[in-house]
Amino acid sequence: MSRLVLRGDEDDYKMSATTINVGVIKLGAIASAPLLDLMFDERAERDDMNVRAFTSGAKMDEESAVGPVEALIAWKPHFAIVVSPNAKLPGPSKAREMLAEAKIPTVSISDGPAAKAFYKKDDEGKKKPHVLEGQGFIVIPADSMIGAKKEFLDPTEMTLFNADAIKVLAVTGVMRAIQNELDTIVAAFQAGETPAMPQLKLTAKKAVKCGYFKNPYAKAKALAALTIAEAVAEITSEGCFKTKEADDYIPLVAAGHEMMRVAANLSDEIRELEKAGDSVLRNPHVSKGKVKTKFGLMDKPK
Amino acid sequence: MSRLVLRGDEDDYKMSATTINVGVIKLGAIASAPLLDLMFDERAERDDMNVRAFTSGAKMDEESAVGPVEALIAWKPHFAIVVSPNAKLPGPSKAREMLAEAKIPTVSISDGPAAKAFYKKDDEGKKKPHVLEGQGFIVIPADSMIGAKKEFLDPTEMTLFNADAIKVLAVTGVMRAIQNELDTIVAAFQAGETPAMPQLKLTAKKAVKCGYFKNPYAKAKALAALTIAEAVAEITSEGCFKTKEADDYIPLVAAGHEMMRVAANLSDEIRELEKAGDSVLRNPHVSKGKVKTKFGLMDKPK
Amino acid sequence: MSRLVLRGDEDDYKMSATTINVGVIKLGAIASAPLLDLMFDERAERDDMNVRAFTSGAKMDEESAVGPVEALIAWKPHFAIVVSPNAKLPGPSKAREMLAEAKIPTVSISDGPAAKAFYKKDDEGKKKPHVLEGQGFIVIPADSMIGAKKEFLDPTEMTLFNADAIKVLAVTGVMRAIQNELDTIVAAFQAGETPAMPQLKLTAKKAVKCGYFKNPYAKAKALAALTIAEAVAEITSEGCFKTKEADDYIPLVAAGHEMMRVAANLSDEIRELEKAGDSVLRNPHVSKGKVKTKFGLMDKPK
Amino acid sequence: MSRLVLRGDEDDYKMSATTINVGVIKLGAIASAPLLDLMFDERAERDDMNVRAFTSGAKMDEESAVGPVEALIAWKPHFAIVVSPNAKLPGPSKAREMLAEAKIPTVSISDGPAAKAFYKKDDEGKKKPHVLEGQGFIVIPADSMIGAKKEFLDPTEMTLFNADAIKVLAVTGVMRAIQNELDTIVAAFQAGETPAMPQLKLTAKKAVKCGYFKNPYAKAKALAALTIAEAVAEITSEGCFKTKEADDYIPLVAAGHEMMRVAANLSDEIRELEKAGDSVLRNPHVSKGKVKTKFGLMDKPK
Amino acid sequence: MSRLVLRGDEDDYKMSATTINVGVIKLGAIASAPLLDLMFDERAERDDMNVRAFTSGAKMDEESAVGPVEALIAWKPHFAIVVSPNAKLPGPSKAREMLAEAKIPTVSISDGPAAKAFYKKDDEGKKKPHVLEGQGFIVIPADSMIGAKKEFLDPTEMTLFNADAIKVLAVTGVMRAIQNELDTIVAAFQAGETPAMPQLKLTAKKAVKCGYFKNPYAKAKALAALTIAEAVAEITSEGCFKTKEADDYIPLVAAGHEMMRVAANLSDEIRELEKAGDSVLRNPHVSKGKVKTKFGLMDKPK
Amino acid sequence: MSRLVLRGDEDDYKMSATTINVGVIKLGAIASAPLLDLMFDERAERDDMNVRAFTSGAKMDEESAVGPVEALIAWKPHFAIVVSPNAKLPGPSKAREMLAEAKIPTVSISDGPAAKAFYKKDDEGKKKPHVLEGQGFIVIPADSMIGAKKEFLDPTEMTLFNADAIKVLAVTGVMRAIQNELDTIVAAFQAGETPAMPQLKLTAKKAVKCGYFKNPYAKAKALAALTIAEAVAEITSEGCFKTKEADDYIPLVAAGHEMMRVAANLSDEIRELEKAGDSVLRNPHVSKGKVKTKFGLMDKPK
């Protein structure tokens, strides 16, 4: 990615009053995580904010979470993001508790199973968001579980699956939906406010709205890609947790990765469809977190 | 990715004498970086090592590097990895110096332009590796620069480019080459030794050896994909650094991303070719960093 | 299809003692239906059996079912097949009752929602098959509902969706699974027995066994294709039954068709993968319902 | 397909004075046949007409034709359709004679070789349509013969070939041309008239007019797809009728299926091309056989 | 192509007694022509023969033919090749006559319509080869006519069509069939004999034998590709010669090019299928016209 | 290609005063060469000019060049074109000298390495064009060297590589750039002038301007395709000239061909993208070298 602080239009670079600091905790991995801290400043041009990430590698146990979270708290960021698979597991739960105690506003980003961590039935049996004070969440059902069996998953297959999943999330609008939520938080802090943290289950239908597709078939295909990506979890979790024999689970986890590959290839088709109409939305951060948008490739962002 | 500590064969899980700690510094981003800390333990099953990453988000200046590096040094890992674009820039250079001073063995992972940081001409004018004491490097020319212009690069395009680049690095053997180097270091520490750090320019020809392709056309295509990926940098760097008008540089940076997309699609073709012969190599970490290998999908790793 | 009674090997054509008659009722349409009556005798070479189909076009109400069923009963076949969407609806239910009364052994072929018609919880709350006497069923969850909204579905789109769905069912093994069940019934009648009718929920995992894939990735891809095809129903039924505004349901039903298209394209890929290994199983009816098999394209069926 | 009588706009559902009954005879199979009876009422919403099909499975001999035709005649429909390969063969010829005798207006739908049944040279040696009284025909040269050799064609390959052929007929305009002809007949009967039956050889050039392609390359590709599909018959008929050794005819019939697969893939490309311009024509039956049309996916049919 | 006389194995380069000279006349263009003179010596390594081509550009009239043919005759080659579309036209006919008179053995290479130039019915009405003394021919029906209308064909489209057609001829075996015929003639001259010129109609079935496909589906697909390529001529000649209005002929000639594109893409698929099995035949000229063969990419030619 | 002098609009065919003669020397082969002489008159309709080509087959030595050049000089054309790989080699150099001596204006067309023949550093060390009097050049860096090793390159592979390279040159604008330069020369001679010969290094950026792409992504992809094609030479020349062992150079030359195949497939994608917008530029020679242009397929050229 960008290697230098590249200079743009003069007036894009007036100093802002406050520099916002964002701390990111990554525990284990989902496809939304690897590039998350780079999404605030995709060309490394902003001097109005700092992002630091602290990770425990692949580990998600409580003990592994403590160190990175302590380091983050020590840095005293304006707010924190905890990104992990299944946010109900001990590691991410511990992280949320520590951050709540430290009174650092926090948004969790997690996958489908995480819904259990963030919704609780009310007296009428209706599911209601349920979070620690000052916290919020973005649940992404399409960010499905990998096929984590040793007969199948080596580092190469792991990176490949994530590449496919990232492609799906990027093209269909999920990445932009996350960007929008985070931009809103940062903007509020820049304006001196303490924003409410989002409480968002990013279903396929909600995500594709952030695709801003001009071609209606691109939108339909994006819904299709996300529905396929979401269905991956059914078959990988069956393979990982409910099947005993390698002869039985290898085909299941392999099928899950084939599905994600198919969703990625469909995503490529979607992007090409929008290229055919020269209608790819781009919404770069141009200065101080200000976001401009453009559709035609040769247009100036506005 | 994997959400739980999944249990494998009993004998894979005897305790090792030493737990190895690995600290990763990520400054800015190249495609080798986002999933790097997960490659030691792709299914989150190892209890013989800990990996922690500390990042400065997209920033690569000296000041942004100091905080994460101090946090890493405080953790006292067995060795450190500094992954960044152009390792010659102030941020990564500062990181290497601080780690050298702290006497933490360090390997830098960087892209093509980084060669200037790690090679120096000797008296006869021959390029020789040149590093701080106890340090090494892996230079990856195919991990080409992104098209970092605000008219083109928004967070969505940034994640897409990285997804394509990761796919290329995974399929062609680059990711496995990195894995091999890092596994070797960890194994040495586990054996109580202080290993020499690698000094490796991972050319296309070296990388495809780690693809372990059984089909010779798969190998030829992998060479092709890496050569294309490497050529991306020529056109994106021309677009980013040597071209003034948006009308001129937009087509160039867009062309660079089209090339990476083409290399990713070719990589998909390569993987499918190996699937057709049921000869995809998998080399998972099965226990304590022990790596087993297999080719047939339904085989047991050996 | 074949236009003439083509002659094969002499000894394949000795007369059988009994000619078996099969009556097929088609009410409405699922993708398993259109070519079902041709699957007994794919090259029009058999003189040991007759198949007649009677259909009510697209209609599935009770009244529309009566005529075709009466015509079938009048013909007195050895057994009957009732193929329809959702077998619990009035038309197919009426057909089953009339055939039970007429003591004609009957197998129903239907889609996912039909499971409700054929399974009932026992005292312990466990689902058990539940059928009229002398009857059986094949439930095919991957034979998902079409996107039946007038803003989207015209005769052209209807035939296209069915073409895609038929391709999925053919390549993945579903069609062969149906063939096997029906061949078994016919063979029993030919042997003078009254066979038990099958009680089969043809899940993806069961269906791919009838794909007889030699390449394990072909099998994994077949599981993927069927899982995608099955997930189509979630989104088309949401679009057809749970969404009011055209602006909301058009993208949903369109997405369902995009998913089936993707599953069909993946099926094409599967077939090509098996062609690459010259390992496509073929099991033609060669005489009197005798089925031979072969893998190599140039092999003689055995 | 649609499982329920779905309700549309109120004013689309006023009762019509007459309910039209259509009887369909299917003898053997061509790709135009399997979904034909569903094309009158693709969403099962019409209460102004009934369609019943009667088939002899794969058989095309005279004896097999008699039963279904008698059943149809007994039902006394307003008109009949006889769909079969090569309409000159005994079965379909017998069917036409019986229907002429019963004074039921009849339209035959058949493939290229059927032209011999429906055209006769006049005194000047010019080919003129030649039919029984009250009868007509639609000859579809692109609906080519399958590769009916036992070493190649099993039920799975048979369904696959038909899926490909149906896709070609649907996308290129053939299915819509058939729909138009049949809609015209039904409308005439609804208006109390006895319509002239069509006498139509549906060449590629005529068919693509019913594709209503907005993109001229889509039209050119449709011509290409139909020309390829039509050329299939040359090679499959050579393989089936003029070649003795399996080693010689297997490659020929396999080549025929590869050609149809190629034509189907090209058809997919055509549809995607029209999706790129959001210009897919849809002409659903919206009520009482009334047909509305639309181009933009999100448009209301008019 | 190759720029230098590259040196191979020592023993491949002993001098031969005679140097063979081959003169090529190209009049107008078919896809077999542009690279024909390079097929004798694909790496520019042979010192045992010389090839010179003389062309009249696109022109095929008698006058345009005379000059190049005179130049060729003046050079006195061992034999001549006349390659042109429709060999019955005045230009190529004149060339054959002049070469016959000059007693230079000649083989004509031409397309489908050329059959009329080289076959004549005998007394029993059977088609027999019919050539001038010392002459022969290779007729290639798959080398179909281009869509030569000014509204469609510019230099770019012309080169594109030829690229597609060359790809088809190369992959399916046509190019190797030509190579074999020409190698045989050269070898005979080198042995001091005057060879009989070939009289060959290179049908699809004959051509694919020179594909030496190991995968039987590759062979079937090659038959398909050639059959499609051959069918191009029907539609382009209709567009060029039998259709008056631009609105009518543009879609026809465009369809012809779409068909050739489809045949080229299928050819690419064929080559990839053989690559998957590492069974691509290569038969390079290794010395003095000696041809060696190999299948595995890493094999030594034998 | 076109077989007859097809007649167009009346006023397109008034006689011109002068008939221009163009002589083409082809030595060895690059992809720009095989169809070059046909680009002046792509439908064989012009009576205002003659083109004759004279070739030495694959050979590029001085001796092989002399004969064809003498024949050309004897014909006394208005100007000459010398097309060959690496124009610095003895054969093409000799040709240029002979043509200079004969005072025939000459333009050389060659590949990347040819730049050394046509540029010389001036006193300030700046590269300046440097040619014989009355001569010019078009250097095409994307017309990369073939993989000329006997273990890899047979006539079939040679034709395939050229087909791919021609496709790239045609779609991206290179062919049109050449056409434009040559049309300009011819027009000047027709006007009675002696034109200056072009001095043009046809970089990717210059070439795509002649693609006249309306879709900006088509342009970016064309830049990508040409950059890939240009990078082919690095790997094939390494394989051909700098690598000794077959085990080492076979993968390299094979990779070069895979890259050109990828560039060709990307070119196909580009053309389809422009077809989607019905914006393919066509600029046919309509009469006397007059070039008209059109974008919409059904438009009249203007």
Side-chain angles (χ1 to χ4, degrees), chain B residues 90-127:
Chain B
S93 298
K94 178 72 179 174
R96 288 195 302 279
E97 285 159 27
M98 290 170 70
L99 290 161
E101 204 164 316
K103 303 213 179 288
I104 297 177
T106 296
V107 57
S108 294
I109 298 181
S110 193
D111 56 13
K116 288 170 293 182
F118 300 121
Y119 287 92
K120 216 179 170 170
K121 288 193 184 164
D122 64 11
D123 296 346
E124 296 165 20
K126 237 178 147 177
K127 280 188 186 173

Side-chain angles (χ1 to χ4, degrees), chain A residues 183-290:
Chain A
D183 282 348
T184 304
I185 298 172
V186 172
F189 278 115
Q190 284 179 323
E193 299 161 19
T194 303
M197 292 290 117
Q199 299 184 342
L200 176 63
K201 189 171 171 192
L202 204 50
T203 60
K205 278 186 283 186
K206 279 182 205 156
V208 297
K209 282 183 189 163
C210 290
Y212 292 97
F213 301 109
K214 290 223 167 161
N215 182 302
Y217 291 98
K219 186 180 172 186
K221 285 173 194 283
L223 275 168
L226 287 168
T227 307
I228 293 170
E230 197 171 331
V232 168
E234 293 165 36
I235 202 165
T236 50
S237 63
E238 185 183 344
C240 289
F241 303 131
K242 300 176 196 160
T243 315
K244 278 194 181 163
E245 298 301 320
D247 280 1
D248 295 331
Y249 63 64
I250 293 174
L252 289 174
V253 293
H257 285 219
E258 293 292 339
M259 288 171 71
M260 195 56 92
R261 174 180 168 264
V262 151
N265 289 349
L266 181 56
S267 298
D268 185 70
E269 207 180 280
I270 294 165
R271 192 86 173 171
E272 294 303 307
L273 199 52
E274 287 285 9
K275 287 181 191 170
D278 191 20
S279 58
V280 175
L281 171 69
R282 298 174 192 278
N283 63 337
H285 294 97
V286 288
S287 80
K288 315 291 168 206
K290 197 169 133 196

Side-chain angles (χ1 to χ4, degrees), chain C residues 115-136:
Chain C
K116 287 169 293 181
F118 300 121
Y119 287 91
K120 217 179 167 170
K121 288 195 182 162
D122 64 10
D123 296 348
E124 295 166 18
K126 238 178 147 175
K127 279 188 188 173
K128 285 285 163 77
H130 176 80
V131 292
L132 296 178
E133 208 189 318
Q135 300 204 343

Side-chain angles (χ1 to χ4, degrees), chain D residues 242-301:
Chain D
K242 299 174 196 161
T243 315
K244 277 194 182 163
E245 299 301 320
D247 280 1
D248 295 330
Y249 62 65
I250 294 175
L252 289 174
V253 294
H257 285 218
E258 293 293 339
M259 288 170 70
M260 195 58 91
R261 172 179 169 265
V262 152
N265 289 350
L266 181 55
S267 298
D268 186 70
E269 207 180 282
I270 295 165
R271 191 87 173 170
E272 293 304 307
L273 199 52
E274 287 285 9
K275 288 182 190 169
D278 192 19
S279 58
V280 176
L281 171 70
R282 299 174 189 278
N283 63 338
H285 295 99
V286 289
S287 80
K288 315 291 169 204
K290 197 168 135 195
V291 171
K292 291 190 175 177
T293 62
K294 54 176 281 186
F295 282 95
L297 177 60
M298 302 308 296
D299 291 350
K300 233 180 128 69

